[in-house]
Amino acid sequence: MIRVLIVDDHPVVRQGLRTFLDLQDDMTVVGEAGDGARAVELAAELTPDVMLLDLRMPVLDGLGALERLAGSPVRVLVLTSVSDRSDVAPAMRAGAAGFLYKDVDPSALAQAVRAVHGGQVLLAAEAAQAVLSATGSAGPYGSPGGVPGPAPLTEREREVLALIAAGRSNREIARSLAVAEKTVKTHVSNVLMKLGVQDRTQAALYAVRHGLA
């Protein structure tokens, strides 16, 4: 079961989310919070797998909560009605694993919870565009003006990185590129090493931020 913590200052929203998520066979809502400070406390007490986090809240807002959750194993999926795109990049930099708006289709929300729980980075289309705009135009290696990042990726490695950002497994990447799964593992290792990141999630976020997804 995916253990979910709902954080929103509107009780009606929390109740609606709880009712919907509790209907999912693979999810259970372990708690609710009405502000960011309480969210941080409950994250430590209840050890949820995924937190649905609003941005505009009293006491401590969503960005503040994300900063205090640094190092926590909980995967945070921002779910907000705020349309200001300037909030997206700071939230992702602060450690959010995803960014959605409250008008998302319910079934898509359930899939998003599963995706971030599974280690993927997930952004609404508008949010992804905001991240790309915040990083500026990407050059050949994903850096502004074409200046290489930590290390230049080969064309195949760029393809693998794009598929990682799409949430594909090594087996799915192998099928897509018509190569052996062992070859994909080698490419993934090279990508992580060249980008200087620790895991696929960080690589996916790098790809989104630098226009490689």
Side-chain angles (χ1 to χ4, degrees), residues 93-204:
R93 284 196 296 267
F99 197 107
L100 294 179
Y101 297 101
K102 288 180 180 177
D103 60 357
V104 64
D105 183 80
S107 61
L109 174 60
Q111 290 297 334
V113 171
R114 296 182 182 103
V116 298
H117 177 252
Q120 298 181 32
V121 174
L122 189 145
L123 297 173
E126 299 90 340
Q129 184 58 49
V131 172
L132 297 180
S133 298
T135 60
S137 58
Y141 301 111
S143 299
V147 179
L153 302 179
T154 66
E155 186 62 32
R156 178 62 86 188
E157 288 166 352
R158 285 163 58 83
E159 292 174 339
V160 169
L161 177 59
L163 290 169
I164 289 174
R168 304 289 181 83
S169 67
N170 284 353
R171 181 173 298 178
E172 291 170 329
I173 294 174
R175 283 202 301 265
S176 178
L177 300 180
V179 298
E181 189 171 347
K182 183 178 180 180
T183 301
V184 172
K185 290 180 180 179
T186 299
H187 286 315
V188 171
S189 296
N190 289 340
V191 167
L192 298 183
M193 178 184 67
K194 287 184 176 183
L195 296 183
V197 298
Q198 299 298 314
D199 54 38
R200 297 168 74 97
T201 299
Q202 293 178 8

